[in-house]
Amino acid sequence: MLGWLKLRLRALFRKNEIENELDEELRFYLENQTEVYVAQGMSPEEARAAALREFGGVEQAKEQCRDARGVSLIEELWQDLRYGARTLLKKPGFTAVAVITLALGIGANSAIFSVVNSILLRTLPYNEPQRLMIVWTRITQLESTSGQTQFANSATDFVEWRNQNQSFEQIAAFRNQTFNLSGGGEPEYLGGVRASASLLPLLGVEAKLGRTFRTEEDQPGADRVVILSHGLWQRRFASDPEIIGKKLTLNDEGYTVVGVMPPGFQFPGKDSMLAGLQFPKRVDFYIPLALTASEASDRGRLYLAVIGRLKPQVTIVQAQADMDAVADRLVKQYKNGRGVLLVSLQQQVVGKARNALLIFLGAVAFVLLIACANVANLLLTRAAARHKEMAIRSALGASRLRLIRQLLTESLLLAMLGGTVGLVLAIWVVKLLIATGPTNLPRADAISVDGRVLSFNLLISLLTGIIFGLAPALQASRLDLNESLKEGGTTSAVSSGRNRMRSLLVVSQVAVALVLLIGAGLMIRSFVRLLGVDPGFDPQHILTLDVRLPFPKYVGPQADYAGPQAAAFFQQVIERLKTLPGVRAAGGANPLPLSGGEEGSGFVIAGRWPPAPGEVFNAGRRWVSPDYFKVMGIRLQTGRAFTESDGSGAPRVLIINEAFVGAFFPDKDPIGKRLFFNRGSDGGYAWREIVGVVKDVKHSALDSDPKPEMYFPFSQFPSWNMTLVARTSGDPMSLVAAARRQVLAVDPNQAISNVSTMEQLMDNSVSQRRFNMLLLSIFAAISLVLAAVGIYSVLAYSVAQRTQEIGVRMALGARAANVLKLIIGQGMVLALIGAALGLAAAFALTRVLTGLLYGVSPTDPATFALIALLLLGVALVACYLPARRATKVDPIIALRFE
Amino acid sequence: MNKEKKTELLQGTLELLILRLLQSEPLNGWDIMQRIRLVSGAVIKVSAGSLYPALHRLEARRLVVAEWDVSEKNRRAKFYKLTAAGRKQLEAERETWERFTGAVASILHNA
């Protein structure tokens, strides 16, 4: 074994020595033989020639000896690599085009794969995440009208589920909670989560410092404890190792720090939960949920998120059946029908992104295919030029396999170069994607280029090298020695096969490019339609800013609700805003359209209490100031708007939108009708009278249909949070400082947040779609350019090949126009066949885009036709350039050619 | 170099011949060539062009080892020597060969 290894290693590293020995060994033979012939009376020259003849192919014998040594595989690989590198360097233009083409294809694939890897493939950073389920409330009668399937949960339901379920090991509820942190520095507005004590143990996450909550801390009165996020601990408390046991002032009340979470822990993600739950973008702290008795008995308010850990061996289907049974019991008990929906946490987090990501992965695979076709085409062209080289190598004893291996080594070298450049490109693109991508890309912070992405990159580089290299290598190595050497150039049989393959490549390139282009075209059309959607309000010149009042200062007579002082605060600020120069109208709303906030209320139309099952409906709910409709430019259809007199003491009123009328009063005048609402805390009810109907507003998103909505005057039910809006005559952002001063004038300790304009909010709401559209458009553009280059290079090559023929035609009287037609015709036939195939493929494939489109059918004929024309136009240009060159052929020179 | 009446060697037979020739003493390529000619007369056609690759194949399979030594005419030549494995291989192949030729011969004579 050692001897064997020595032989191989020697063969690899002492190559010259071995070659010399081989030479010497054979020379010994030849000289002996020559001497024999000389002794027989030949002249030395004759004798030497005879000896060589008798030997029978010295070079072939050498090659066979090298082969016999067996090391040749590694040695030849090394040799091929060096030879390949030299050939590539000799043709820098070819190499650059091929490497750039491949880098685009492989880079795009690696970039998208790294996103897919982080979002879809990597598991969530919790203990056995596949057992984690998010539990939502289902309200069937709303699913048909709103399309919404997930609703937040009431505290009552959560408590009942916790007591009655058979499927969960642990179950926890959580909700958002914002606080003013004061003392020890600037007062700061923090986003936090109130969570059951079981939440963190359920996720399987331990505190980095201190501990998580104890069960007894999850009780009103014992709940003044806080766990800090790692980020807040670092930023605000300078990573104080002694933080445990210290007191913080949150909303003017003391909380004891009991723990600090590990870095990277973020739960829940804002965008994976319902928008209406308004979880903060970054969770700064956790405090116990500590449901009060009145909270626990409130089944009307839907504000909790619930997560459960399945018992081992329990499937999601079994758990869903178990929870359905629990829900059925609750329906009987509470006479109010609600269902339960289990969604795995993974599914909840990844959500809609999954579909889009898979589509992008498919799109980049197409781009790579086109890139492969292009490089294969380049290689075929080169194979023609290297025909003689191959013939000589073959004559010198290289087997066909050996030639294929060498050509493949060259393609692999190209692919690896392309892959490396592509990887650099991918790393850069991934950074760009994270920076410019939509804000609601799930788990965006986890996207990175890791080992798996590197392996993927390597794998597709190798695969690519084989895909684009194999066919040209097979073609190039298939040669008839005598023919090639005799002709000194291409033989007609070989080149016709090669041309057929090139045409095939071009046709498929065009087809694949058309599919991508049509996909991109549909996305662009959707986006344009979306931008043309009437949001129901006039977004220009509107300043928006959030004010969140601290809890204790503005608490009302009922412990869980804001008091009249909150209403008074907002009223004063709005009055002051109105007086600012440049402000034409001011108001406030909670929540504002397109801000991500969603709230709803159950109500009963029939004048009966308690209602029978099926008589309680749900609709969106907004608290607004009297002038809100005026500020936003929301048109009043009938009835009246709110006035200052719709205050806390006045009759309780509401305004509804057209969708509400359509859903609940299709052929009745709603004005003057009364709706009944659960008062929640005491199980009683209250009624409100409809006084007006306003135009529909796109509240949740521009692409979703308007849902039934109700507007309540904010002074009749004050809340801590309000988004102030001001219609300005100039640039809204120029008034930010003045607006802030008005807030401070009413309460010098009150901060404002989320300063924006209505136009920016609209822009943010379409960012996901714009991102999708841009990404697909970029891929389509790359594929269009590559396909055009493909057509161009095939025709240019064909023109060069047919120079003589064209010269003859021109000598026989063909005019430039005839030649132009001939060449363009040749190219356009390929383009047309490709386009036809592409249209058919697109027709079959674009339905996967359905979820990403808006207002456009996936087989929209106009898009199909337009894009096909665009592609054919580009193809025409790509054909025209080589065709024009053909018309410049000088018949005399062309005929002398050869 | 037409085929004439010389017999083309069967695949692997050349290697068997080489092993046999090396059984008694180490030889260089030229020597082996001369002995094949000597022993088989003009019946078996072996060219140097196929002898040397065969030698290298045997060396790669460790059936022979090569050493540089001085030839009769005082020139450096590469000498091949049978290894233990080579000897074993020779025995095995000779047996196979004899069984095979015996079988063929008996068919030719008796059938």
Side-chain angles (χ1 to χ4, degrees), chain A residues 31-233:
Chain A
E31 281 170 7
N32 275 344
Q33 189 63 38
T34 308
E35 277 168 31
V36 169
Y37 285 137
V38 169
Q40 285 171 6
M42 287 190 198
S43 74
E45 290 76 32
E46 280 172 340
R48 175 142 188 90
L52 277 172
R53 205 165 44 240
E54 187 261 0
F55 191 97
V58 177
E59 284 307 316
Q60 272 126 324
K62 275 191 189 172
E63 185 72 28
Q64 283 170 20
C65 286
R66 288 181 204 121
D67 278 347
R69 306 193 80 87
V71 273
S72 24
L73 210 63
I74 313 172
E75 190 194 334
E76 275 168 18
L77 183 69
W78 178 235
Q79 193 184 336
D80 286 351
L81 277 176
R82 288 196 325 187
Y83 185 78
R86 261 202 315 271
T87 358
L88 293 182
L89 279 177
K90 239 185 284 171
K91 295 261 178 193
F94 159 82
T95 309
V97 170
V99 168
I100 291 172
T101 306
L102 290 171
L104 282 176
I106 298 176
N109 274 273
S110 297
I112 295 301
F113 179 78
S114 60
V115 178
V116 169
N117 175 42
S118 324
I119 296 179
L120 297 187
L121 302 183
R122 234 185 260 160
T123 52
L124 295 165
Y126 311 119
N127 180 33
E128 293 187 59
Q130 70 282 0
R131 281 166 57 201
L132 296 175
M133 297 289 147
I134 300 286
V135 189
W136 297 115
T137 291
R138 280 185 71 168
I139 303 177
T140 8
Q141 68 263 38
L142 280 182
E143 277 173 28
S144 48
T145 51
S146 69
Q148 189 178 346
T149 52
Q150 301 179 346
F151 291 86
N153 311 300
S154 73
T156 312
D157 283 335
F158 165 63
V159 173
E160 297 281 7
W161 292 342
R162 188 174 56 191
N163 296 340
Q164 297 191 32
N165 88 83
Q166 308 285 324
S167 315
F168 292 108
E169 206 171 79
Q170 276 179 309
I171 186 165
F174 50 100
R175 67 180 182 96
N176 84 318
Q177 173 82 63
T178 52
F179 271 139
N180 270 336
L181 171 68
S182 53
E186 290 269 301
E188 198 175 343
Y189 172 74
L190 297 179
V193 167
R194 281 195 102 105
S196 307
S198 54
L199 177 72
L200 298 173
L202 179 152
L203 292 174
V205 184
E206 308 232 339
K208 174 192 159 84
L209 283 181
R211 56 172 175 84
T212 53
F213 298 128
R214 299 199 176 109
T215 318
E216 61 267 25
E217 286 165 346
D218 197 359
Q219 302 290 336
D223 58 343
R224 294 296 159 82
V225 288
V226 59
I227 298 174
L228 306 180
S229 78
H230 196 264
L232 181 70
W233 176 61

